[in-house]
Amino acid sequence: MQHQHPDEGRTAGAAAMAAAATPAPATAAAAAPASLSLIVCTLGRRDTLERLLESLRAQTRRPLEILVVDQNPAGYLHPLLARYQDLPLVHLVDLADARGLSRARNLGLTIARGDVVGFPDDDCWYDPGVVETVSRLFGRDGRHDLVTGRTADAEGADSVSRHLPVSGEITRANVFLAGNSNGLFVRRTLASRVGGFDEALGVGAATPYQSGEESDFILRCLAAGGGGRFERGLIVRHARTDGDPAAAATRARRYAPGFGRVLRLHGFPAGFVAGRLARAVGRGTLCLLAGRTVDARQRYAWAAGTARGYLSPAGAPRLGRGAPAAAPRQPRPAFGLRFTPLGEQELAARIVGPAVPRGAGPRVIATANLDHIVQLSRSTAFRQAYGRAWAVTADGMPVYLYARLRGAAVPARLTGADLFARVMTSLSPERHRCFFVATTQETAGLIEQDLVRRGFAPESLAFRVPPHGFETDQAYSDGLAEAIRAHRATHLFVGVGSPKSEIWIDRYRTVLSDCYVLSVGAALEFFVGTKRRAPPAIQHAGLEWAWRVAHEPRRLFRRYFVDSWRFLWLVGADVVRPGSDITLDGMNGMKASNDA
């Protein structure tokens, strides 16, 4: 959310409300309109979301797509969205258990396709000409990189925040009066270049900084050379938020630290901040003398919160769940990943060795292949899952070779299939309890026969074959996670495909038992022979992918002959910025819910 000092600016009068967007020159007017993607992040607001969708249905020009990032319980929005199938909706079901507006917007950015991206809240609405106005303002001539407009109520009064009195260029000096995210529109290429929104800022972030994400975003766009403009005639509707003084004081306490944090991150001088704090305290004192104690509390809370945010160290780490203790890893990352220096035998010995300490939660082993690297560049939830992994192996030959070229101490390529087979043959009937999530009853039955034949008691083994799309079915997923916990599994093996396996595991990591977790795709089927693996000679030559494409062309052709080219781009990006985490970009990545 965008925030500023509560007394900045004045509510616009009737003349200012009638101001139109600055007209474009003749060359811009002739340019083709820009396509527009709208990212709508929503949680618990079905009624206001319906109002927004109605307003989008009434637009004189349709947006290219409306990306609904759904953080609600499974099925909450289905009846509503079913009534708007005439709109270009893309329903993204956010599987991660972490919440946060910035994180959800970044998720939408990973698949947005429009020239320009907008970020309407689920409780705002558009006048009929907004999409057409934005498309015209940007055009395709590069005149605008970023445009903001006013947020006003139905009567035209400034609602969420105060604004500049006239249209003009956005600078560091006026950025906090240049609108908020409801009226923010930016070229997708620029949003990608600056890395999207800072997920440590904004509503729902796992930090005290519950605001400021769009100010931070705009400032980073300006620093990257983007040109920003505030258009006072571009209006997005939103109900007023300042009607209740007590609620305003509560919002000030919640949001002011984020404002102070942005001031610190972007190097605003102490004198500038001190002046704003003095003004807030002074006006609060005047309110107190006038008997307006609630208004005084709002200004004091704003000053105190701003000071707390500004005085926090600029390099302070994000607050959130700590990562679990990790297996030894080499210190030099490739793609921002730290691969384990352990070979197959050593890592398997640790997995079947001492039990996971009580209360430590699951220790997840991730097996990075070429497809994983591509998916990591597209999916925030997948990156979060990898970030919490206990150990990461170099599964794919291209990943292994690039990691070695970067100097990583990776002893050999270690596939999930090889590691799973080694672990399976090393499990002990006396010490281990196993839970398998398989794709077919046949595979599950064959694994059970093998382990029972080796002396495992049937009650020490548990199996589930989930239905297609189980990862978006909250009731089923909750039951599955609870079953794993109740089984007191020491080892969990999930073979239902990537990245949904890893994302699901990470989503339920606080529910699962203290166990080792391998998400190994087709490894279960390779182990029991329900799916044939490439001969050893082909494996050693690094051509297992070709074998798999030959046997499953319909499912794997796109992965290896279309999406795989992106891996080369990611290698280039990693060379330019060595050791950086794989970052967001504007290319398609996450699937819509109807493809899940």
Side-chain angles (χ1 to χ4, degrees):
M1 298 180 65
Q2 174 88 28
H3 290 280
Q4 61 192 46
H5 189 281
D7 289 298
E8 281 188 275
R10 296 283 181 184
T11 300
M17 292 189 309
T22 301
T27 54
S35 60
L36 178 62
S37 295
L38 298 177
I39 298 174
V40 184
C41 308
T42 182
L43 176 62
R45 287 178 172 170
R46 194 156 40 198
D47 292 341
T48 56
L49 177 60
E50 182 176 12
R51 179 178 61 187
L52 172 61
L53 294 177
E54 279 293 333
S55 74
L56 295 177
R57 179 179 271 170
Q59 291 299 298
T60 56
R61 176 186 176 87
R62 288 283 176 93
L64 174 67
E65 57 189 2
I66 303 165
L67 306 169
V68 179
V69 184
D70 181 2
Q71 296 185 315
N72 295 287
Y76 179 83
L77 291 182
H78 288 171
L80 172 63
L81 298 183
R83 301 201 298 272
Y84 291 91
Q85 291 304 304
D86 57 308
L87 292 177
L89 294 175
V90 179
H91 183 195
L92 298 176
V93 178
D94 187 357
L95 296 177
D97 59 357
R99 293 290 178 257
L101 183 57
S102 292
R103 198 187 60 76
R105 285 171 175 163
N106 286 343
L107 180 62
L109 279 170
T110 64
I111 80 159
R113 296 180 295 120
D115 302 317
V116 177
V117 184
F119 308 93
D121 284 351
D122 57 0
D123 58 348
C124 76
W125 70 99
Y126 283 3
D127 288 341
V130 167
V131 172
E132 185 163 9
T133 297
V134 171
S135 298
R136 176 177 56 81
L137 283 170
F138 280 90
R140 296 189 186 275
D141 64 341
R143 178 174 175 236
H144 297 95
D145 294 311
L146 181 149
V147 170
T148 63
R150 290 176 58 213
T151 303
D153 64 14
E155 287 71 43
D158 289 352
S159 53
V160 176
S161 59
R162 313 291 184 182
H163 302 93
L164 293 168
V166 295
S167 300
E169 298 304 307
I170 301 174
T171 67
R172 279 174 59 92
N174 65 19
V175 66
F176 301 112
L177 289 170
N180 56 73
S181 62
N182 288 296
L184 170 62
F185 301 90
V186 62
R187 290 197 183 276
R188 179 170 54 84
T189 52
L190 178 59
S192 174
R193 196 161 79 241
V194 301
F197 290 86
D198 186 343
E199 296 179 14
L201 299 172
V203 172
T207 70
Y209 314 119
Q210 299 293 298
S211 70
E213 75 281 2
E214 62 259 67
S215 296
D216 168 77
F217 178 83
I218 294 171
L219 285 165
R220 285 188 286 115
C221 287
L222 297 179
R229 183 171 180 82
F230 170 72
E231 291 286 358
R232 190 167 176 83
L234 175 61
I235 299 175
V236 174
R237 303 295 177 180
H238 193 290
R240 293 184 68 112
T241 60
D242 58 357
D244 182 354
T250 300
R251 285 195 301 273
R253 283 191 294 272
R254 184 182 184 193
Y255 297 142
F259 174 68
R261 177 70 169 169
V262 171
L263 294 175
R264 178 61 180 268
L265 290 174
H266 291 276
F268 284 82
F272 173 85
V273 179
R276 298 177 72 93
L277 296 180
R279 182 170 55 183
V281 171
R283 291 181 174 174
T285 301
L286 291 175
C287 290
L288 190 63
L289 293 173
R292 295 159 48 202
T293 57
V294 175
D295 290 336
R297 280 203 302 271
Q298 177 195 1
R299 286 157 175 78
Y300 290 149
W302 187 268
T306 300
R308 283 198 306 274
Y310 185 76
L311 294 175
S312 62
R318 300 183 183 186
L319 304 181
R321 297 186 62 86
R329 300 175 183 177
Q330 53 81 27
R332 190 172 180 181
F335 303 117
L337 303 175
R338 295 186 180 275
F339 295 96
T340 177
L342 302 179
E344 177 185 318
Q345 184 173 349
E346 295 86 352
L347 183 56
R350 296 207 180 187
I351 293 171
V352 300
V356 176
R358 191 166 190 174
R363 287 184 171 178
V364 179
I365 295 87
T367 56
N369 58 29
L370 182 150
D371 184 58
H372 281 206
I373 299 300
V374 172
Q375 294 298 332
L376 283 168
S377 74
R378 295 170 167 171
S379 169
T380 300
F382 196 31
R383 288 197 301 277
Q384 290 175 337
Y386 255 74
R388 283 186 274 259
W390 179 70
V392 179
T393 74
D395 180 302
M397 183 61 76
V399 176
Y400 164 70
L401 292 175
Y402 176 68
R404 289 300 302 264
L405 286 172
R406 283 285 306 279
V410 183
R413 177 189 177 212
L414 178 51
T415 69
D418 290 330
L419 181 61
F420 173 75
R422 172 78 69 165
V423 169
M424 283 289 289
T425 57
S426 304
L427 291 170
S428 168
E430 293 77 24
R431 296 189 298 115
H432 299 141
R433 298 176 60 84
C434 303
F435 199 109
F436 297 85
V437 181
T439 54
T440 67
Q441 293 289 352
E442 180 186 18
T443 298
L446 291 172
I447 291 175
E448 183 175 23
Q449 291 176 23
D450 178 79
L451 292 175
V452 169
R453 188 167 54 246
R454 288 170 44 197
F456 280 80
E459 59 268 22
S460 70
L461 307 173
F463 299 84
R464 285 288 181 89
V465 179
H468 179 72
F470 79 96
E471 69 277 9
T472 62
D473 185 335
Q474 184 168 354
Y476 184 91
S477 291
D478 289 350
L480 176 58
E482 186 53 42
I484 295 168
R485 182 183 186 89
H487 185 65
R488 294 179 290 111
T490 60
H491 293 79
L492 169 62
F493 303 99
V494 183
V496 292
S498 178
K500 66 181 178 183
S501 292
E502 291 84 352
I503 294 172
W504 187 92
I505 292 163
D506 191 60
R507 177 185 179 188
Y508 284 96
R509 66 189 182 279
T510 59
V511 179
L512 303 177
S513 55
D514 302 321
C515 61
Y516 292 96
V517 183
L518 274 75
S519 176
V520 287
L524 277 67
E525 297 162 296
F526 292 152
F527 185 76
V528 297
T530 53
K531 184 177 287 186
R532 187 182 175 193
R533 193 179 179 191
I538 294 179
Q539 295 178 39
H540 296 155
L543 296 174
E544 189 168 8
W545 63 271
W547 172 275
R548 294 195 65 189
V549 171
H551 286 77
E552 298 178 83
R554 182 169 297 181
R555 187 172 74 88
L556 298 178
F557 181 88
R558 179 177 177 83
R559 176 191 296 183
Y560 289 106
F561 287 95
V562 179
D563 293 344
S564 62
W565 289 102
R566 180 170 172 75
F567 177 82
L568 299 178
W569 184 90
L570 293 169
V571 168
D574 195 56
V575 169
V576 173
R577 296 189 301 168
S580 299
D581 291 336
I582 297 174
T583 55
L584 294 171
D585 70 276
M587 299 183 69
N588 294 343
M590 295 293 288
K591 290 189 174 182
S593 63
N594 59 343
D595 292 330

